Amino acid sequence: MATLLEIHPDNPQPRLIERAAQVLRDGGLIAYPTDSCYALGCALENKDGIERITRIRQLNSKHHFTLMCHDFAQLGQFVIVDNSDFRAIKSMTPGPYTFIMKATKEVPRRMMHPKKHSVGARIPQNTTALALVEAMGEPILSSTLLLPGDEDPLTEAADVMDQIGHEVDVVIDSGTPGVVPTSVIDFTGKHPEVARVGAGDVSRFLDE
């Protein structure tokens, strides 16, 4: 059964953040809150972690995994941000947005889209999530905690423990996260396209 870590949402205890980060470094899988519901997360090179996320969510090979980044500089190491898209993406970070972009060579191939060689990336507006990514020193490979057959993602630590506590190593309880998934914007084409309307305002792209 997963270990439940109760972390203060505004002032995350460094000891507990480091404990969760060490679980990730050791090959574990965690469920953690973001500004747009819970996410499953593992280390970038964790092949077993990707397989566990795929199994829990019953994902297909076309699923875009997300790089949970600490800041814009880190995001830029793992995805290719065109000059034309720079200002739009910068203005939406941190926030409840996931950006689909071409991946750099720093991204493991197994987490890229098999044909587009693209990946999702985001910078959350959540203190605990940001502290965890900072402790890792690299992005956390993540996926929204939306279980098969459910219309809404999980947003409460108790529900996460009840439903998948036996399938993850750590569940972080750090207040109630956002309850709506991120808005997803695809920047891999000639013009940005809204792939999913979620928590973030996407009106600027729908008006084009």
Side-chain angles (χ1 to χ4, degrees), residues 1-189:
M1 195 68 177
T3 298
L4 180 66
L5 295 182
E6 296 184 358
I7 298 179
H8 195 283
D10 299 318
N11 299 290
Q13 302 93 318
R15 172 180 59 85
L16 296 181
I17 290 292
E18 177 57 30
R19 184 175 173 185
Q22 192 59 51
V23 169
L24 292 172
R25 297 188 199 104
D26 291 341
L29 178 64
I30 71 170
Y32 68 104
T34 76
D35 49 350
S36 59
C37 63
Y38 266 83
L40 294 168
C42 67
L44 285 182
E45 298 291 345
N46 188 349
K47 181 180 178 181
D48 178 66
I50 293 177
E51 292 174 350
R52 290 169 72 183
I53 293 173
T54 300
R55 183 172 64 251
I56 291 170
R57 291 206 52 201
Q58 296 182 16
L59 301 171
N60 60 40
S61 62
K62 296 181 180 179
H63 177 75
H64 274 107
F65 286 97
T66 297
L67 297 166
M68 194 71 71
C69 300
H70 181 261
D71 53 31
F72 197 82
Q74 187 180 68
L75 181 146
Q77 296 175 25
F78 291 86
V79 294
I80 299 171
V81 183
D82 292 338
N83 290 336
S84 59
D85 301 326
F86 177 89
R87 292 179 67 181
I89 294 172
K90 191 75 158 58
S91 70
M92 293 184 286
T93 57
Y97 298 92
T98 298
F99 311 109
I100 306 298
M101 290 178 281
K102 296 290 185 182
T104 68
K105 60 182 180 181
E106 304 295 326
V107 178
R109 290 187 65 87
R110 67 176 66 94
M111 71 171 294
M112 296 182 194
H113 187 283
K115 293 184 178 180
K116 295 181 178 180
H117 293 175
S118 53
V119 68
R122 64 171 303 223
I123 303 170
Q125 198 168 22
N126 178 283
T127 303
T128 299
L130 288 172
L132 186 58
V133 178
E134 184 175 25
M136 283 293 289
E138 66 178 23
I140 298 173
L141 186 156
S142 300
S143 183
T144 300
L145 214 177
L146 180 61
L147 297 178
D150 288 356
E151 292 186 3
D152 299 312
L154 297 179
T155 59
E156 298 289 343
D159 293 335
V160 176
M161 287 292 290
D162 286 343
Q163 296 197 45
I164 62 164
H166 58 291
E167 297 188 76
V168 300
D169 301 298
V170 164
V171 174
I172 294 178
D173 184 355
S174 188
T176 301
V179 296
V180 180
T182 58
S183 290
V184 179
I185 305 160
D186 190 335
F187 284 91
T188 60

